[in-house]
Amino acid sequence: MNNDDIDEVISKKVDARLKELKSLPVNELLELPFYTPEKFEVGGKNQELGVYRDTKENGETLIVVQCKNTRFLGFGYMFAEGFVINSAGEFREAEEELMYEYR
């Protein structure tokens, strides 16, 4: 399995986990730990998909799903997608500037 194939699997896994999270009740999302690792293997390489919950200063909560396909000496491609829960419990896609530290 080459890196492009691994990237495709990781991308699909990140998207699927994000979709699962969006289907959970808001109160469950707000109670997630700061970081939850989910280990898996693809193409003979161990991977770690991470789910982050980050409460922002304005009271909103950022939920991020992240996984990196490390290719060589720590270099690779980082997959990260996220959404924001506002104080009314409504979801929106995370703005790019909120995602900087996860990509």
Side-chain angles (χ1 to χ4, degrees), residues 2 7 13 19 23 32-33 37 42 49 57-60 70 72 74-75 79-83 88-89 92-93 99:
N2 66 35
D7 283 349
K13 198 158 191 70
K19 186 177 178 179
S23 73
L32 288 172
V42 61
L49 182 136
E57 290 179 15
N58 64 4
E60 294 183 325
T70 302
F72 183 71
F75 294 98
F79 295 86
E81 300 296 332
F83 62 96
R92 72 172 189 276
E93 295 301 312
M99 296 297 297

Side-chain angles (χ1 to χ4, degrees), residues 70-89:
T70 302
R71 295 179 178 186
F72 183 71
L73 298 175
F75 294 98
Y77 187 81
M78 182 70 74
F79 295 86
E81 300 296 332
F83 62 96
V84 174
I85 306 167
N86 68 18
S87 58

Side-chain angles (χ1 to χ4, degrees), residues 44-60:
K45 293 169 67 175
N46 292 323
Q47 303 290 341
E48 185 172 287
L49 182 136
V51 176
Y52 291 86
R53 180 196 45 81
D54 186 5
T55 304
K56 298 303 191 183
E57 290 179 15
N58 64 4
E60 294 183 325

